[in-house]
Amino acid sequence: MRAGKRDRIIKVYKPCEQTKSTFGETETSYELMYEPYAEVTDARGNERWVAAQFLAEADKVFNIIWRAGITPKHYIKYECQDYDILGTVEIGRREGLAISAKLRAVV
C-alpha cells in the first residue's frame, strides 16, 4: 500500500496497570502507545432502538504501517471519538496492518 493514502493521524492507546479505587474495584487506565498515519475507510453503520434508547454504531477500517502488538485490548481515538478494536489483519509480509474497529455511541 502506498503511503499517499495514509493521510489521517490516529492515536492508539494501550491498557496499562490496573488501579484499585477506594471501594476495592479495579480500574484499567490507558496510555498513548503511538500516533501513526492511517487510511480510514468506512465499513458500515447501524442505528436502532435498544432498551428505550437510540443506539448508533459505526465501523471503520484503519490501514497503517505494520506494527506488532496491537490487540483488541487496545483502542483507537480518531476525530475525538473512541473506537474499540475488533481485530487486525496483516497486509502482505509486514507491509501494513488493517485494523477493524467499532464506534458505539448512545444518542
Side-chain angles (χ1 to χ4, degrees), residues 26-63:
T26 58
E27 298 174 353
T28 304
S29 58
Y30 291 87
E31 65 181 16
L32 181 64
M33 185 175 170
Y34 77 119
E35 296 182 56
Y37 281 93
E39 175 187 356
V40 181
T41 310
D42 291 324
R44 64 179 182 174
N46 187 13
E47 296 176 345
R48 62 179 188 243
W49 282 96
V50 175
Q53 56 186 333
F54 190 69
L55 180 69
E57 296 177 345
D59 293 350
K60 291 201 183 292
V61 177
F62 300 95
N63 290 322

mmCIF file of all heavy atoms in Angstrom, residues 26-63:
data_model
loop_
_atom_site.group_PDB
_atom_site.id
_atom_site.type_symbol
_atom_site.label_atom_id
_atom_site.label_comp_id
_atom_site.label_asym_id
_atom_site.label_seq_id
_atom_site.Cartn_x
_atom_site.Cartn_y
_atom_site.Cartn_z
ATOM 1 N N THR A 26 -11.306 -2.660 40.623
ATOM 2 C CA THR A 26 -10.142 -2.422 39.764
ATOM 3 C C THR A 26 -10.561 -1.600 38.555
ATOM 4 O O THR A 26 -11.619 -1.823 37.971
ATOM 5 C CB THR A 26 -9.521 -3.742 39.289
ATOM 6 O OG1 THR A 26 -10.510 -4.493 38.597
ATOM 7 C CG2 THR A 26 -8.982 -4.544 40.443
ATOM 8 N N GLU A 27 -9.734 -0.662 38.198
ATOM 9 C CA GLU A 27 -9.975 0.198 37.051
ATOM 10 C C GLU A 27 -8.747 0.139 36.146
ATOM 11 O O GLU A 27 -7.626 0.254 36.613
ATOM 12 C CB GLU A 27 -10.207 1.640 37.492
ATOM 13 C CG GLU A 27 -11.413 1.812 38.376
ATOM 14 C CD GLU A 27 -11.528 3.229 38.906
ATOM 15 O OE1 GLU A 27 -10.603 4.028 38.692
ATOM 16 O OE2 GLU A 27 -12.536 3.516 39.551
ATOM 17 N N THR A 28 -8.989 -0.034 34.841
ATOM 18 C CA THR A 28 -7.897 -0.067 33.885
ATOM 19 C C THR A 28 -7.718 1.325 33.302
ATOM 20 O O THR A 28 -8.673 1.926 32.835
ATOM 21 C CB THR A 28 -8.190 -1.060 32.744
ATOM 22 O OG1 THR A 28 -8.447 -2.344 33.309
ATOM 23 C CG2 THR A 28 -7.019 -1.158 31.795
ATOM 24 N N SER A 29 -6.499 1.833 33.327
ATOM 25 C CA SER A 29 -6.215 3.110 32.696
ATOM 26 C C SER A 29 -5.472 2.846 31.390
ATOM 27 O O SER A 29 -4.928 1.771 31.171
ATOM 28 C CB SER A 29 -5.388 3.993 33.631
ATOM 29 O OG SER A 29 -4.194 3.344 33.990
ATOM 30 N N TYR A 30 -5.482 3.831 30.516
ATOM 31 C CA TYR A 30 -4.863 3.687 29.199
ATOM 32 C C TYR A 30 -3.828 4.774 28.993
ATOM 33 O O TYR A 30 -3.967 5.883 29.503
ATOM 34 C CB TYR A 30 -5.925 3.773 28.100
ATOM 35 C CG TYR A 30 -6.849 2.590 28.073
ATOM 36 C CD1 TYR A 30 -7.992 2.546 28.856
ATOM 37 C CD2 TYR A 30 -6.570 1.502 27.265
ATOM 38 C CE1 TYR A 30 -8.833 1.457 28.835
ATOM 39 C CE2 TYR A 30 -7.413 0.406 27.236
ATOM 40 C CZ TYR A 30 -8.535 0.389 28.014
ATOM 41 O OH TYR A 30 -9.356 -0.702 27.985
ATOM 42 N N GLU A 31 -2.786 4.438 28.238
ATOM 43 C CA GLU A 31 -1.780 5.432 27.876
ATOM 44 C C GLU A 31 -1.529 5.358 26.378
ATOM 45 O O GLU A 31 -1.723 4.319 25.742
ATOM 46 C CB GLU A 31 -0.490 5.230 28.659
ATOM 47 C CG GLU A 31 0.230 3.946 28.380
ATOM 48 C CD GLU A 31 1.497 3.805 29.211
ATOM 49 O OE1 GLU A 31 1.685 4.531 30.195
ATOM 50 O OE2 GLU A 31 2.296 2.939 28.841
ATOM 51 N N LEU A 32 -1.081 6.474 25.821
ATOM 52 C CA LEU A 32 -0.840 6.572 24.388
ATOM 53 C C LEU A 32 0.303 5.657 23.982
ATOM 54 O O LEU A 32 1.390 5.730 24.542
ATOM 55 C CB LEU A 32 -0.528 8.013 23.999
ATOM 56 C CG LEU A 32 -0.287 8.287 22.524
ATOM 57 C CD1 LEU A 32 -1.547 8.009 21.712
ATOM 58 C CD2 LEU A 32 0.153 9.721 22.331
ATOM 59 N N MET A 33 0.043 4.779 23.007
ATOM 60 C CA MET A 33 1.072 3.860 22.511
ATOM 61 C C MET A 33 1.853 4.520 21.374
ATOM 62 O O MET A 33 3.065 4.583 21.426
ATOM 63 C CB MET A 33 0.407 2.570 22.034
ATOM 64 C CG MET A 33 1.340 1.481 21.603
ATOM 65 S SD MET A 33 0.348 0.007 21.232
ATOM 66 C CE MET A 33 1.576 -1.002 20.479
ATOM 67 N N TYR A 34 1.133 4.996 20.360
ATOM 68 C CA TYR A 34 1.764 5.774 19.299
ATOM 69 C C TYR A 34 0.723 6.406 18.393
ATOM 70 O O TYR A 34 -0.457 6.102 18.491
ATOM 71 C CB TYR A 34 2.784 4.945 18.522
ATOM 72 C CG TYR A 34 2.226 3.965 17.520
ATOM 73 C CD1 TYR A 34 2.529 4.084 16.176
ATOM 74 C CD2 TYR A 34 1.435 2.907 17.904
ATOM 75 C CE1 TYR A 34 2.033 3.177 15.262
ATOM 76 C CE2 TYR A 34 0.944 1.999 17.007
ATOM 77 C CZ TYR A 34 1.248 2.145 15.674
ATOM 78 O OH TYR A 34 0.749 1.243 14.771
ATOM 79 N N GLU A 35 1.165 7.312 17.508
ATOM 80 C CA GLU A 35 0.290 8.061 16.612
ATOM 81 C C GLU A 35 0.701 7.814 15.164
ATOM 82 O O GLU A 35 1.481 8.571 14.616
ATOM 83 C CB GLU A 35 0.363 9.550 16.912
ATOM 84 C CG GLU A 35 -0.143 9.930 18.275
ATOM 85 C CD GLU A 35 -0.086 11.427 18.516
ATOM 86 O OE1 GLU A 35 -0.669 12.178 17.710
ATOM 87 O OE2 GLU A 35 0.568 11.828 19.479
ATOM 88 N N PRO A 36 0.158 6.790 14.518
ATOM 89 C CA PRO A 36 0.524 6.533 13.121
ATOM 90 C C PRO A 36 -0.381 7.282 12.148
ATOM 91 O O PRO A 36 -1.480 7.717 12.494
ATOM 92 C CB PRO A 36 0.293 5.025 12.994
ATOM 93 C CG PRO A 36 -0.867 4.779 13.897
ATOM 94 C CD PRO A 36 -0.656 5.714 15.060
ATOM 95 N N TYR A 37 0.111 7.432 10.916
ATOM 96 C CA TYR A 37 -0.731 7.896 9.827
ATOM 97 C C TYR A 37 -1.535 6.704 9.340
ATOM 98 O O TYR A 37 -1.032 5.588 9.288
ATOM 99 C CB TYR A 37 0.117 8.453 8.683
ATOM 100 C CG TYR A 37 0.619 9.848 8.948
ATOM 101 C CD1 TYR A 37 1.860 10.069 9.524
ATOM 102 C CD2 TYR A 37 -0.165 10.948 8.631
ATOM 103 C CE1 TYR A 37 2.321 11.343 9.783
ATOM 104 C CE2 TYR A 37 0.286 12.239 8.886
ATOM 105 C CZ TYR A 37 1.530 12.418 9.453
ATOM 106 O OH TYR A 37 1.961 13.677 9.701
ATOM 107 N N ALA A 38 -2.800 6.946 8.986
ATOM 108 C CA ALA A 38 -3.676 5.844 8.599
ATOM 109 C C ALA A 38 -4.559 6.235 7.424
ATOM 110 O O ALA A 38 -4.892 7.408 7.235
ATOM 111 C CB ALA A 38 -4.556 5.438 9.768
ATOM 112 N N GLU A 39 -4.937 5.219 6.651
ATOM 113 C CA GLU A 39 -6.000 5.370 5.658
ATOM 114 C C GLU A 39 -7.272 4.896 6.346
ATOM 115 O O GLU A 39 -7.335 3.773 6.843
ATOM 116 C CB GLU A 39 -5.726 4.519 4.424
ATOM 117 C CG GLU A 39 -6.851 4.551 3.415
ATOM 118 C CD GLU A 39 -6.647 3.576 2.284
ATOM 119 O OE1 GLU A 39 -5.600 2.908 2.230
ATOM 120 O OE2 GLU A 39 -7.556 3.471 1.461
ATOM 121 N N VAL A 40 -8.286 5.739 6.398
ATOM 122 C CA VAL A 40 -9.516 5.416 7.117
ATOM 123 C C VAL A 40 -10.617 5.143 6.101
ATOM 124 O O VAL A 40 -10.880 5.957 5.222
ATOM 125 C CB VAL A 40 -9.924 6.571 8.057
ATOM 126 C CG1 VAL A 40 -11.185 6.223 8.821
ATOM 127 C CG2 VAL A 40 -8.789 6.890 9.018
ATOM 128 N N THR A 41 -11.254 3.982 6.249
ATOM 129 C CA THR A 41 -12.329 3.567 5.349
ATOM 130 C C THR A 41 -13.563 3.233 6.167
ATOM 131 O O THR A 41 -13.468 2.544 7.189
ATOM 132 C CB THR A 41 -11.906 2.316 4.551
ATOM 133 O OG1 THR A 41 -10.629 2.551 3.968
ATOM 134 C CG2 THR A 41 -12.904 1.993 3.462
ATOM 135 N N ASP A 42 -14.718 3.710 5.725
ATOM 136 C CA ASP A 42 -15.970 3.350 6.381
ATOM 137 C C ASP A 42 -16.346 1.938 5.976
ATOM 138 O O ASP A 42 -16.354 1.597 4.794
ATOM 139 C CB ASP A 42 -17.096 4.305 5.991
ATOM 140 C CG ASP A 42 -16.887 5.691 6.552
ATOM 141 O OD1 ASP A 42 -16.375 5.791 7.676
ATOM 142 O OD2 ASP A 42 -17.232 6.665 5.870
ATOM 143 N N ALA A 43 -16.691 1.110 6.961
ATOM 144 C CA ALA A 43 -17.075 -0.264 6.680
ATOM 145 C C ALA A 43 -18.594 -0.380 6.604
ATOM 146 O O ALA A 43 -19.140 -0.858 5.622
ATOM 147 C CB ALA A 43 -16.508 -1.215 7.724
ATOM 148 N N ARG A 44 -19.282 0.037 7.656
ATOM 149 C CA ARG A 44 -20.745 0.020 7.675
ATOM 150 C C ARG A 44 -21.223 0.773 8.900
ATOM 151 O O ARG A 44 -20.452 1.105 9.786
ATOM 152 C CB ARG A 44 -21.280 -1.397 7.685
ATOM 153 C CG ARG A 44 -20.891 -2.145 8.927
ATOM 154 C CD ARG A 44 -21.434 -3.531 8.957
ATOM 155 N NE ARG A 44 -21.012 -4.107 10.229
ATOM 156 C CZ ARG A 44 -21.385 -5.260 10.661
ATOM 157 N NH1 ARG A 44 -22.158 -5.996 9.928
ATOM 158 N NH2 ARG A 44 -20.981 -5.702 11.819
ATOM 159 N N GLY A 45 -22.513 0.984 8.953
ATOM 160 C CA GLY A 45 -23.096 1.660 10.098
ATOM 161 C C GLY A 45 -24.437 1.032 10.439
ATOM 162 O O GLY A 45 -25.032 0.324 9.634
ATOM 163 N N ASN A 46 -24.940 1.316 11.630
ATOM 164 C CA ASN A 46 -26.182 0.718 12.076
ATOM 165 C C ASN A 46 -26.808 1.630 13.123
ATOM 166 O O ASN A 46 -26.115 2.150 13.993
ATOM 167 C CB ASN A 46 -25.892 -0.667 12.671
ATOM 168 C CG ASN A 46 -27.142 -1.433 13.002
ATOM 169 O OD1 ASN A 46 -28.229 -1.075 12.591
ATOM 170 N ND2 ASN A 46 -26.979 -2.496 13.759
ATOM 171 N N GLU A 47 -28.109 1.831 13.033
ATOM 172 C CA GLU A 47 -28.836 2.605 14.026
ATOM 173 C C GLU A 47 -30.070 1.821 14.424
ATOM 174 O O GLU A 47 -30.749 1.255 13.573
ATOM 175 C CB GLU A 47 -29.251 3.961 13.460
ATOM 176 C CG GLU A 47 -28.099 4.860 13.099
ATOM 177 C CD GLU A 47 -28.554 6.159 12.458
ATOM 178 O OE1 GLU A 47 -29.723 6.241 12.050
ATOM 179 O OE2 GLU A 47 -27.738 7.070 12.372
ATOM 180 N N ARG A 48 -30.368 1.788 15.720
ATOM 181 C CA ARG A 48 -31.545 1.052 16.184
ATOM 182 C C ARG A 48 -31.908 1.490 17.595
ATOM 183 O O ARG A 48 -31.134 2.149 18.274
ATOM 184 C CB ARG A 48 -31.288 -0.445 16.136
ATOM 185 C CG ARG A 48 -30.162 -0.886 17.044
ATOM 186 C CD ARG A 48 -29.937 -2.373 17.001
ATOM 187 N NE ARG A 48 -28.975 -2.685 18.033
ATOM 188 C CZ ARG A 48 -27.794 -3.199 17.824
ATOM 189 N NH1 ARG A 48 -27.427 -3.504 16.617
ATOM 190 N NH2 ARG A 48 -26.975 -3.442 18.813
ATOM 191 N N TRP A 49 -33.113 1.082 18.019
ATOM 192 C CA TRP A 49 -33.574 1.320 19.378
ATOM 193 C C TRP A 49 -33.252 0.111 20.227
ATOM 194 O O TRP A 49 -33.588 -1.009 19.888
ATOM 195 C CB TRP A 49 -35.081 1.556 19.386
ATOM 196 C CG TRP A 49 -35.453 2.922 18.951
ATOM 197 C CD1 TRP A 49 -35.835 3.297 17.698
ATOM 198 C CD2 TRP A 49 -35.475 4.095 19.739
ATOM 199 N NE1 TRP A 49 -36.078 4.639 17.652
ATOM 200 C CE2 TRP A 49 -35.871 5.150 18.915
ATOM 201 C CE3 TRP A 49 -35.186 4.357 21.071
ATOM 202 C CZ2 TRP A 49 -35.995 6.455 19.375
ATOM 203 C CZ3 TRP A 49 -35.312 5.652 21.524
ATOM 204 C CH2 TRP A 49 -35.712 6.684 20.686
ATOM 205 N N VAL A 50 -32.563 0.323 21.346
ATOM 206 C CA VAL A 50 -32.241 -0.751 22.285
ATOM 207 C C VAL A 50 -32.508 -0.236 23.686
ATOM 208 O O VAL A 50 -31.970 0.805 24.080
ATOM 209 C CB VAL A 50 -30.762 -1.186 22.154
ATOM 210 C CG1 VAL A 50 -30.408 -2.217 23.201
ATOM 211 C CG2 VAL A 50 -30.474 -1.717 20.765
ATOM 212 N N ALA A 51 -33.320 -0.964 24.436
ATOM 213 C CA ALA A 51 -33.615 -0.626 25.838
ATOM 214 C C ALA A 51 -34.033 0.834 25.992
ATOM 215 O O ALA A 51 -33.501 1.570 26.819
ATOM 216 C CB ALA A 51 -32.418 -0.950 26.726
ATOM 217 N N ALA A 52 -34.980 1.247 25.161
ATOM 218 C CA ALA A 52 -35.567 2.591 25.205
ATOM 219 C C ALA A 52 -34.563 3.711 24.953
ATOM 220 O O ALA A 52 -34.721 4.827 25.423
ATOM 221 C CB ALA A 52 -36.283 2.815 26.524
ATOM 222 N N GLN A 53 -33.500 3.424 24.219
ATOM 223 C CA GLN A 53 -32.566 4.470 23.821
ATOM 224 C C GLN A 53 -32.062 4.195 22.414
ATOM 225 O O GLN A 53 -32.024 3.073 21.957
ATOM 226 C CB GLN A 53 -31.405 4.600 24.802
ATOM 227 C CG GLN A 53 -30.621 3.343 25.029
ATOM 228 C CD GLN A 53 -29.594 3.524 26.123
ATOM 229 O OE1 GLN A 53 -29.123 4.625 26.360
ATOM 230 N NE2 GLN A 53 -29.243 2.450 26.795
ATOM 231 N N PHE A 54 -31.699 5.261 21.728
ATOM 232 C CA PHE A 54 -31.240 5.168 20.349
ATOM 233 C C PHE A 54 -29.762 4.800 20.348
ATOM 234 O O PHE A 54 -28.951 5.474 20.974
ATOM 235 C CB PHE A 54 -31.455 6.507 19.641
ATOM 236 C CG PHE A 54 -31.241 6.465 18.174
ATOM 237 C CD1 PHE A 54 -32.114 5.778 17.358
ATOM 238 C CD2 PHE A 54 -30.163 7.112 17.607
ATOM 239 C CE1 PHE A 54 -31.922 5.738 15.992
ATOM 240 C CE2 PHE A 54 -29.964 7.078 16.251
ATOM 241 C CZ PHE A 54 -30.842 6.393 15.442
ATOM 242 N N LEU A 55 -29.397 3.703 19.678
ATOM 243 C CA LEU A 55 -28.021 3.224 19.651
ATOM 244 C C LEU A 55 -27.483 3.338 18.231
ATOM 245 O O LEU A 55 -28.082 2.828 17.284
ATOM 246 C CB LEU A 55 -27.958 1.771 20.119
ATOM 247 C CG LEU A 55 -26.586 1.120 20.153
ATOM 248 C CD1 LEU A 55 -25.746 1.751 21.254
ATOM 249 C CD2 LEU A 55 -26.715 -0.361 20.388
ATOM 250 N N ALA A 56 -26.359 4.014 18.069
ATOM 251 C CA ALA A 56 -25.736 4.161 16.758
ATOM 252 C C ALA A 56 -24.385 3.477 16.777
ATOM 253 O O ALA A 56 -23.607 3.632 17.722
ATOM 254 C CB ALA A 56 -25.562 5.638 16.413
ATOM 255 N N GLU A 57 -24.103 2.689 15.754
ATOM 256 C CA GLU A 57 -22.812 2.016 15.623
ATOM 257 C C GLU A 57 -22.197 2.395 14.275
ATOM 258 O O GLU A 57 -22.899 2.479 13.283
ATOM 259 C CB GLU A 57 -22.978 0.501 15.685
ATOM 260 C CG GLU A 57 -23.501 -0.013 16.995
ATOM 261 C CD GLU A 57 -23.711 -1.515 16.987
ATOM 262 O OE1 GLU A 57 -23.717 -2.107 15.898
ATOM 263 O OE2 GLU A 57 -23.866 -2.083 18.059
ATOM 264 N N ALA A 58 -20.909 2.594 14.263
ATOM 265 C CA ALA A 58 -20.199 2.893 13.024
ATOM 266 C C ALA A 58 -18.911 2.076 13.006
ATOM 267 O O ALA A 58 -18.152 2.108 13.967
ATOM 268 C CB ALA A 58 -19.884 4.379 12.924
ATOM 269 N N ASP A 59 -18.706 1.333 11.934
ATOM 270 C CA ASP A 59 -17.498 0.525 11.796
ATOM 271 C C ASP A 59 -16.541 1.211 10.835
ATOM 272 O O ASP A 59 -16.967 1.780 9.827
ATOM 273 C CB ASP A 59 -17.828 -0.870 11.266
ATOM 274 C CG ASP A 59 -18.637 -1.692 12.256
ATOM 275 O OD1 ASP A 59 -18.775 -1.251 13.403
ATOM 276 O OD2 ASP A 59 -19.111 -2.760 11.867
ATOM 277 N N LYS A 60 -15.268 1.146 11.159
ATOM 278 C CA LYS A 60 -14.237 1.701 10.283
ATOM 279 C C LYS A 60 -13.090 0.714 10.185
ATOM 280 O O LYS A 60 -12.896 -0.131 11.058
ATOM 281 C CB LYS A 60 -13.713 3.024 10.825
ATOM 282 C CG LYS A 60 -14.723 4.152 10.769
ATOM 283 C CD LYS A 60 -14.037 5.483 10.827
ATOM 284 C CE LYS A 60 -15.000 6.624 10.846
ATOM 285 N NZ LYS A 60 -15.744 6.806 9.633
ATOM 286 N N VAL A 61 -12.317 0.837 9.113
ATOM 287 C CA VAL A 61 -11.090 0.067 8.930
ATOM 288 C C VAL A 61 -9.953 1.076 8.836
ATOM 289 O O VAL A 61 -9.996 1.989 8.008
ATOM 290 C CB VAL A 61 -11.153 -0.820 7.670
ATOM 291 C CG1 VAL A 61 -9.838 -1.544 7.474
ATOM 292 C CG2 VAL A 61 -12.307 -1.803 7.767
ATOM 293 N N PHE A 62 -8.962 0.914 9.699
ATOM 294 C CA PHE A 62 -7.786 1.782 9.718
ATOM 295 C C PHE A 62 -6.611 0.996 9.153
ATOM 296 O O PHE A 62 -6.219 -0.025 9.725
ATOM 297 C CB PHE A 62 -7.467 2.226 11.151
ATOM 298 C CG PHE A 62 -8.574 2.998 11.812
ATOM 299 C CD1 PHE A 62 -9.502 2.361 12.616
ATOM 300 C CD2 PHE A 62 -8.689 4.362 11.631
ATOM 301 C CE1 PHE A 62 -10.519 3.053 13.242
ATOM 302 C CE2 PHE A 62 -9.709 5.074 12.249
ATOM 303 C CZ PHE A 62 -10.624 4.420 13.050
ATOM 304 N N ASN A 63 -6.050 1.451 8.032
ATOM 305 C CA ASN A 63 -4.869 0.808 7.446
ATOM 306 C C ASN A 63 -3.633 1.614 7.827
ATOM 307 O O ASN A 63 -3.537 2.798 7.490
ATOM 308 C CB ASN A 63 -4.985 0.725 5.921
ATOM 309 C CG ASN A 63 -6.039 -0.268 5.493
ATOM 310 O OD1 ASN A 63 -6.172 -1.312 6.107
ATOM 311 N ND2 ASN A 63 -6.791 0.059 4.465
#
